[in-house]
PDB file of all heavy atoms in Angstrom:
ATOM      1  N   MET A   1      -0.972 -36.844-102.811  1.00  0.00           N
ATOM      2  CA  MET A   1      -0.269 -37.161-101.566  1.00  0.00           C
ATOM      3  C   MET A   1      -0.526 -36.064-100.532  1.00  0.00           C
ATOM      4  O   MET A   1      -0.531 -34.883-100.864  1.00  0.00           O
ATOM      5  CB  MET A   1       1.251 -37.211-101.823  1.00  0.00           C
ATOM      6  CG  MET A   1       1.656 -38.321-102.757  1.00  0.00           C
ATOM      7  SD  MET A   1       1.636 -39.922-101.918  1.00  0.00           S
ATOM      8  CE  MET A   1       2.220 -40.946-103.259  1.00  0.00           C
ATOM      9  N   ARG A   2      -0.723 -36.482 -99.287  1.00  0.00           N
ATOM     10  CA  ARG A   2      -0.882 -35.494 -98.219  1.00  0.00           C
ATOM     11  C   ARG A   2       0.318 -35.585 -97.273  1.00  0.00           C
ATOM     12  O   ARG A   2       0.669 -36.669 -96.810  1.00  0.00           O
ATOM     13  CB  ARG A   2      -2.173 -35.725 -97.447  1.00  0.00           C
ATOM     14  CG  ARG A   2      -2.311 -34.737 -96.277  1.00  0.00           C
ATOM     15  CD  ARG A   2      -3.597 -34.935 -95.515  1.00  0.00           C
ATOM     16  NE  ARG A   2      -4.748 -34.660 -96.373  1.00  0.00           N
ATOM     17  CZ  ARG A   2      -6.015 -34.862 -95.978  1.00  0.00           C
ATOM     18  NH1 ARG A   2      -6.260 -35.348 -94.781  1.00  0.00           N
ATOM     19  NH2 ARG A   2      -7.005 -34.573 -96.788  1.00  0.00           N
ATOM     20  N   ILE A   3       0.918 -34.419 -97.034  1.00  0.00           N
ATOM     21  CA  ILE A   3       2.067 -34.346 -96.134  1.00  0.00           C
ATOM     22  C   ILE A   3       1.686 -33.456 -94.961  1.00  0.00           C
ATOM     23  O   ILE A   3       1.295 -32.294 -95.155  1.00  0.00           O
ATOM     24  CB  ILE A   3       3.299 -33.771 -96.869  1.00  0.00           C
ATOM     25  CG1 ILE A   3       3.657 -34.717 -98.039  1.00  0.00           C
ATOM     26  CG2 ILE A   3       4.478 -33.601 -95.923  1.00  0.00           C
ATOM     27  CD1 ILE A   3       3.981 -34.013 -99.293  1.00  0.00           C
ATOM     28  N   VAL A   4       1.767 -34.009 -93.762  1.00  0.00           N
ATOM     29  CA  VAL A   4       1.410 -33.241 -92.569  1.00  0.00           C
ATOM     30  C   VAL A   4       2.691 -32.856 -91.835  1.00  0.00           C
ATOM     31  O   VAL A   4       3.528 -33.709 -91.522  1.00  0.00           O
ATOM     32  CB  VAL A   4       0.476 -34.058 -91.652  1.00  0.00           C
ATOM     33  CG1 VAL A   4       0.278 -33.351 -90.319  1.00  0.00           C
ATOM     34  CG2 VAL A   4      -0.864 -34.290 -92.351  1.00  0.00           C
ATOM     35  N   LEU A  20       5.264 -32.327-104.009  1.00  0.00           N
ATOM     36  CA  LEU A  20       4.800 -33.715-103.887  1.00  0.00           C
ATOM     37  C   LEU A  20       3.296 -33.833-103.715  1.00  0.00           C
ATOM     38  O   LEU A  20       2.724 -34.898-103.921  1.00  0.00           O
ATOM     39  CB  LEU A  20       5.461 -34.385-102.681  1.00  0.00           C
ATOM     40  CG  LEU A  20       6.978 -34.507-102.691  1.00  0.00           C
ATOM     41  CD1 LEU A  20       7.492 -34.765-101.291  1.00  0.00           C
ATOM     42  CD2 LEU A  20       7.410 -35.612-103.645  1.00  0.00           C
ATOM     43  N   GLY A  21       2.677 -32.762-103.255  1.00  0.00           N
ATOM     44  CA  GLY A  21       1.240 -32.846-103.011  1.00  0.00           C
ATOM     45  C   GLY A  21       0.770 -31.757-102.064  1.00  0.00           C
ATOM     46  O   GLY A  21       1.371 -30.689-101.960  1.00  0.00           O
ATOM     47  N   GLU A  22      -0.298 -32.090-101.334  1.00  0.00           N
ATOM     48  CA  GLU A  22      -0.917 -31.122-100.423  1.00  0.00           C
ATOM     49  C   GLU A  22      -0.146 -31.112 -99.093  1.00  0.00           C
ATOM     50  O   GLU A  22       0.007 -32.157 -98.460  1.00  0.00           O
ATOM     51  CB  GLU A  22      -2.368 -31.559-100.176  1.00  0.00           C
ATOM     52  CG  GLU A  22      -3.131 -30.704 -99.200  1.00  0.00           C
ATOM     53  CD  GLU A  22      -4.221 -31.493 -98.468  1.00  0.00           C
ATOM     54  OE1 GLU A  22      -4.327 -32.716 -98.656  1.00  0.00           O
ATOM     55  OE2 GLU A  22      -4.964 -30.864 -97.699  1.00  0.00           O
ATOM     56  N   ALA A  40      -4.595 -34.240 -86.628  1.00  0.00           N
ATOM     57  CA  ALA A  40      -3.873 -33.557 -87.711  1.00  0.00           C
ATOM     58  C   ALA A  40      -3.334 -34.524 -88.762  1.00  0.00           C
ATOM     59  O   ALA A  40      -3.262 -34.190 -89.940  1.00  0.00           O
ATOM     60  CB  ALA A  40      -2.725 -32.734 -87.129  1.00  0.00           C
ATOM     61  N   VAL A  41      -2.954 -35.721 -88.340  1.00  0.00           N
ATOM     62  CA  VAL A  41      -2.278 -36.626 -89.277  1.00  0.00           C
ATOM     63  C   VAL A  41      -3.246 -37.468 -90.123  1.00  0.00           C
ATOM     64  O   VAL A  41      -2.795 -38.219 -91.003  1.00  0.00           O
ATOM     65  CB  VAL A  41      -1.292 -37.582 -88.555  1.00  0.00           C
ATOM     66  CG1 VAL A  41      -0.204 -36.793 -87.841  1.00  0.00           C
ATOM     67  CG2 VAL A  41      -2.021 -38.519 -87.602  1.00  0.00           C
ATOM     68  N   ALA A  42      -4.533 -37.361 -89.872  1.00  0.00           N
ATOM     69  CA  ALA A  42      -5.492 -38.204 -90.605  1.00  0.00           C
ATOM     70  C   ALA A  42      -5.286 -38.071 -92.110  1.00  0.00           C
ATOM     71  O   ALA A  42      -5.232 -36.966 -92.648  1.00  0.00           O
ATOM     72  CB  ALA A  42      -6.923 -37.811 -90.224  1.00  0.00           C
ATOM     73  N   GLY A  43      -5.150 -39.192 -92.773  1.00  0.00           N
ATOM     74  CA  GLY A  43      -5.016 -39.209 -94.232  1.00  0.00           C
ATOM     75  C   GLY A  43      -3.611 -38.910 -94.745  1.00  0.00           C
ATOM     76  O   GLY A  43      -3.394 -38.850 -95.959  1.00  0.00           O
ATOM     77  N   ALA A  44      -2.640 -38.762 -93.831  1.00  0.00           N
ATOM     78  CA  ALA A  44      -1.286 -38.388 -94.270  1.00  0.00           C
ATOM     79  C   ALA A  44      -0.556 -39.559 -94.927  1.00  0.00           C
ATOM     80  O   ALA A  44      -0.644 -40.696 -94.467  1.00  0.00           O
ATOM     81  CB  ALA A  44      -0.471 -37.885 -93.082  1.00  0.00           C
ATOM     82  N   HIS A  45       0.148 -39.265 -96.006  1.00  0.00           N
ATOM     83  CA  HIS A  45       1.082 -40.228 -96.590  1.00  0.00           C
ATOM     84  C   HIS A  45       2.459 -40.051 -95.964  1.00  0.00           C
ATOM     85  O   HIS A  45       3.266 -40.974 -95.931  1.00  0.00           O
ATOM     86  CB  HIS A  45       1.179 -40.032 -98.104  1.00  0.00           C
ATOM     87  CG  HIS A  45      -0.106 -40.309 -98.817  1.00  0.00           C
ATOM     88  ND1 HIS A  45      -1.113 -39.369 -98.911  1.00  0.00           N
ATOM     89  CD2 HIS A  45      -0.561 -41.432 -99.423  1.00  0.00           C
ATOM     90  CE1 HIS A  45      -2.137 -39.901 -99.576  1.00  0.00           C
ATOM     91  NE2 HIS A  45      -1.826 -41.148 -99.887  1.00  0.00           N
ATOM     92  N   ALA A  46       2.707 -38.826 -95.485  1.00  0.00           N
ATOM     93  CA  ALA A  46       3.990 -38.528 -94.835  1.00  0.00           C
ATOM     94  C   ALA A  46       3.725 -37.596 -93.662  1.00  0.00           C
ATOM     95  O   ALA A  46       2.880 -36.702 -93.747  1.00  0.00           O
ATOM     96  CB  ALA A  46       4.949 -37.868 -95.825  1.00  0.00           C
ATOM     97  N   ILE A  47       4.447 -37.834 -92.576  1.00  0.00           N
ATOM     98  CA  ILE A  47       4.390 -36.923 -91.428  1.00  0.00           C
ATOM     99  C   ILE A  47       5.797 -36.368 -91.227  1.00  0.00           C
ATOM    100  O   ILE A  47       6.769 -37.129 -91.164  1.00  0.00           O
ATOM    101  CB  ILE A  47       3.946 -37.652 -90.142  1.00  0.00           C
ATOM    102  CG1 ILE A  47       2.538 -38.265 -90.312  1.00  0.00           C
ATOM    103  CG2 ILE A  47       3.985 -36.707 -88.936  1.00  0.00           C
ATOM    104  CD1 ILE A  47       2.113 -39.158 -89.134  1.00  0.00           C
ATOM    105  N   VAL A  48       5.902 -35.057 -91.154  1.00  0.00           N
ATOM    106  CA  VAL A  48       7.172 -34.422 -90.798  1.00  0.00           C
ATOM    107  C   VAL A  48       7.026 -34.022 -89.335  1.00  0.00           C
ATOM    108  O   VAL A  48       6.220 -33.152 -88.994  1.00  0.00           O
ATOM    109  CB  VAL A  48       7.462 -33.210 -91.703  1.00  0.00           C
ATOM    110  CG1 VAL A  48       8.747 -32.498 -91.264  1.00  0.00           C
ATOM    111  CG2 VAL A  48       7.564 -33.652 -93.160  1.00  0.00           C
ATOM    112  N   ALA A  63      -3.409 -41.914 -88.591  1.00  0.00           N
ATOM    113  CA  ALA A  63      -3.046 -41.455 -89.937  1.00  0.00           C
ATOM    114  C   ALA A  63      -3.767 -42.308 -90.981  1.00  0.00           C
ATOM    115  O   ALA A  63      -4.364 -41.776 -91.912  1.00  0.00           O
ATOM    116  CB  ALA A  63      -1.538 -41.531 -90.129  1.00  0.00           C
ATOM    117  N   GLY A  64      -3.697 -43.625 -90.785  1.00  0.00           N
ATOM    118  CA  GLY A  64      -4.334 -44.535 -91.740  1.00  0.00           C
ATOM    119  C   GLY A  64      -3.301 -45.380 -92.459  1.00  0.00           C
ATOM    120  O   GLY A  64      -2.101 -45.093 -92.391  1.00  0.00           O
ATOM    121  N   PRO A  65      -3.773 -46.419 -93.174  1.00  0.00           N
ATOM    122  CA  PRO A  65      -2.856 -47.402 -93.774  1.00  0.00           C
ATOM    123  C   PRO A  65      -2.000 -46.841 -94.916  1.00  0.00           C
ATOM    124  O   PRO A  65      -1.047 -47.489 -95.336  1.00  0.00           O
ATOM    125  CB  PRO A  65      -3.807 -48.493 -94.286  1.00  0.00           C
ATOM    126  CG  PRO A  65      -5.134 -47.817 -94.434  1.00  0.00           C
ATOM    127  CD  PRO A  65      -5.185 -46.750 -93.394  1.00  0.00           C
ATOM    128  N   GLN A  66      -2.371 -45.625 -95.417  1.00  0.00           N
ATOM    129  CA  GLN A  66      -1.579 -45.073 -96.521  1.00  0.00           C
ATOM    130  C   GLN A  66      -0.289 -44.395 -96.031  1.00  0.00           C
ATOM    131  O   GLN A  66       0.561 -44.018 -96.840  1.00  0.00           O
ATOM    132  CB  GLN A  66      -2.422 -44.063 -97.330  1.00  0.00           C
ATOM    133  CG  GLN A  66      -2.631 -42.700 -96.668  1.00  0.00           C
ATOM    134  CD  GLN A  66      -3.388 -42.770 -95.349  1.00  0.00           C
ATOM    135  OE1 GLN A  66      -4.286 -43.601 -95.186  1.00  0.00           O
ATOM    136  NE2 GLN A  66      -3.024 -41.941 -94.381  1.00  0.00           N
ATOM    137  N   LEU A  67      -0.108 -44.305 -94.698  1.00  0.00           N
ATOM    138  CA  LEU A  67       1.083 -43.616 -94.178  1.00  0.00           C
ATOM    139  C   LEU A  67       2.353 -44.369 -94.572  1.00  0.00           C
ATOM    140  O   LEU A  67       2.476 -45.563 -94.315  1.00  0.00           O
ATOM    141  CB  LEU A  67       1.005 -43.497 -92.645  1.00  0.00           C
ATOM    142  CG  LEU A  67       2.205 -42.804 -91.972  1.00  0.00           C
ATOM    143  CD1 LEU A  67       2.351 -41.356 -92.425  1.00  0.00           C
ATOM    144  CD2 LEU A  67       2.097 -42.877 -90.450  1.00  0.00           C
ATOM    145  N   ARG A  68       3.299 -43.659 -95.219  1.00  0.00           N
ATOM    146  CA  ARG A  68       4.507 -44.338 -95.717  1.00  0.00           C
ATOM    147  C   ARG A  68       5.762 -43.931 -94.962  1.00  0.00           C
ATOM    148  O   ARG A  68       6.711 -44.694 -94.874  1.00  0.00           O
ATOM    149  CB  ARG A  68       4.700 -44.007 -97.210  1.00  0.00           C
ATOM    150  CG  ARG A  68       3.445 -44.290 -98.038  1.00  0.00           C
ATOM    151  CD  ARG A  68       3.679 -45.352 -99.071  1.00  0.00           C
ATOM    152  NE  ARG A  68       4.584 -44.904-100.115  1.00  0.00           N
ATOM    153  CZ  ARG A  68       4.183 -44.360-101.258  1.00  0.00           C
ATOM    154  NH1 ARG A  68       2.910 -44.168-101.502  1.00  0.00           N
ATOM    155  NH2 ARG A  68       5.063 -44.025-102.166  1.00  0.00           N
ATOM    156  N   ILE A  69       5.786 -42.686 -94.456  1.00  0.00           N
ATOM    157  CA  ILE A  69       7.023 -42.209 -93.823  1.00  0.00           C
ATOM    158  C   ILE A  69       6.743 -41.225 -92.691  1.00  0.00           C
ATOM    159  O   ILE A  69       5.835 -40.388 -92.794  1.00  0.00           O
ATOM    160  CB  ILE A  69       7.981 -41.554 -94.862  1.00  0.00           C
ATOM    161  CG1 ILE A  69       9.190 -40.908 -94.151  1.00  0.00           C
ATOM    162  CG2 ILE A  69       7.261 -40.547 -95.762  1.00  0.00           C
ATOM    163  CD1 ILE A  69      10.295 -40.405 -95.047  1.00  0.00           C
ATOM    164  N   VAL A  70       7.542 -41.353 -91.644  1.00  0.00           N
ATOM    165  CA  VAL A  70       7.611 -40.325 -90.600  1.00  0.00           C
ATOM    166  C   VAL A  70       9.029 -39.782 -90.656  1.00  0.00           C
ATOM    167  O   VAL A  70       9.994 -40.515 -90.415  1.00  0.00           O
ATOM    168  CB  VAL A  70       7.293 -40.899 -89.206  1.00  0.00           C
ATOM    169  CG1 VAL A  70       7.528 -39.841 -88.135  1.00  0.00           C
ATOM    170  CG2 VAL A  70       5.850 -41.404 -89.160  1.00  0.00           C
ATOM    171  N   ALA A  71       9.157 -38.516 -91.040  1.00  0.00           N
ATOM    172  CA  ALA A  71      10.470 -37.878 -91.158  1.00  0.00           C
ATOM    173  C   ALA A  71      10.647 -36.954 -89.963  1.00  0.00           C
ATOM    174  O   ALA A  71      10.044 -35.880 -89.898  1.00  0.00           O
ATOM    175  CB  ALA A  71      10.569 -37.108 -92.473  1.00  0.00           C
ATOM    176  N   GLY A  89       5.406 -51.261 -91.777  1.00  0.00           N
ATOM    177  CA  GLY A  89       5.886 -50.898 -93.104  1.00  0.00           C
ATOM    178  C   GLY A  89       6.100 -49.403 -93.300  1.00  0.00           C
ATOM    179  O   GLY A  89       6.245 -48.921 -94.428  1.00  0.00           O
ATOM    180  N   ILE A  90       6.115 -48.659 -92.187  1.00  0.00           N
ATOM    181  CA  ILE A  90       6.333 -47.204 -92.285  1.00  0.00           C
ATOM    182  C   ILE A  90       7.824 -46.926 -92.096  1.00  0.00           C
ATOM    183  O   ILE A  90       8.448 -47.439 -91.165  1.00  0.00           O
ATOM    184  CB  ILE A  90       5.511 -46.467 -91.196  1.00  0.00           C
ATOM    185  CG1 ILE A  90       4.018 -46.781 -91.371  1.00  0.00           C
ATOM    186  CG2 ILE A  90       5.778 -44.963 -91.226  1.00  0.00           C
ATOM    187  CD1 ILE A  90       3.193 -46.511 -90.124  1.00  0.00           C
ATOM    188  N   VAL A  91       8.375 -46.119 -93.002  1.00  0.00           N
ATOM    189  CA  VAL A  91       9.788 -45.758 -92.904  1.00  0.00           C
ATOM    190  C   VAL A  91       9.927 -44.606 -91.921  1.00  0.00           C
ATOM    191  O   VAL A  91       9.141 -43.658 -91.934  1.00  0.00           O
ATOM    192  CB  VAL A  91      10.331 -45.324 -94.291  1.00  0.00           C
ATOM    193  CG1 VAL A  91      11.783 -44.865 -94.192  1.00  0.00           C
ATOM    194  CG2 VAL A  91      10.186 -46.450 -95.300  1.00  0.00           C
ATOM    195  N   VAL A 290      11.345 -37.423 -97.286  1.00  0.00           N
ATOM    196  CA  VAL A 290       9.938 -37.578 -97.679  1.00  0.00           C
ATOM    197  C   VAL A 290       9.847 -37.746 -99.193  1.00  0.00           C
ATOM    198  O   VAL A 290       9.159 -38.645 -99.698  1.00  0.00           O
ATOM    199  CB  VAL A 290       9.100 -36.360 -97.218  1.00  0.00           C
ATOM    200  CG1 VAL A 290       7.704 -36.403 -97.830  1.00  0.00           C
ATOM    201  CG2 VAL A 290       9.016 -36.320 -95.688  1.00  0.00           C
ATOM    202  N   VAL A 293      10.919 -41.309-100.298  1.00  0.00           N
ATOM    203  CA  VAL A 293       9.970 -42.383 -99.991  1.00  0.00           C
ATOM    204  C   VAL A 293       8.680 -42.244-100.811  1.00  0.00           C
ATOM    205  O   VAL A 293       8.181 -43.236-101.345  1.00  0.00           O
ATOM    206  CB  VAL A 293       9.683 -42.433 -98.471  1.00  0.00           C
ATOM    207  CG1 VAL A 293       8.524 -43.372 -98.164  1.00  0.00           C
ATOM    208  CG2 VAL A 293      10.939 -42.877 -97.726  1.00  0.00           C
ATOM    209  N   LEU A 294       8.184 -41.012-100.955  1.00  0.00           N
ATOM    210  CA  LEU A 294       6.923 -40.856-101.698  1.00  0.00           C
ATOM    211  C   LEU A 294       7.106 -41.032-103.205  1.00  0.00           C
ATOM    212  O   LEU A 294       6.132 -41.175-103.935  1.00  0.00           O
ATOM    213  CB  LEU A 294       6.269 -39.502-101.384  1.00  0.00           C
ATOM    214  CG  LEU A 294       5.752 -39.319 -99.942  1.00  0.00           C
ATOM    215  CD1 LEU A 294       4.893 -38.063 -99.834  1.00  0.00           C
ATOM    216  CD2 LEU A 294       4.981 -40.532 -99.422  1.00  0.00           C
TER     217      LEU A 294
END
Side-chain angles (χ1 to χ4, degrees):
M1 295 284 182
R2 177 179 296 175
I3 299 137
V4 171
L20 298 162
E22 177 209 5
V41 299
H45 296 82
I47 300 173
V48 176
Q66 75 298 325
L67 179 62
R68 308 243 292 266
I69 173 172
V70 174
I90 301 161
V91 177
V290 170
V293 170
L294 293 191

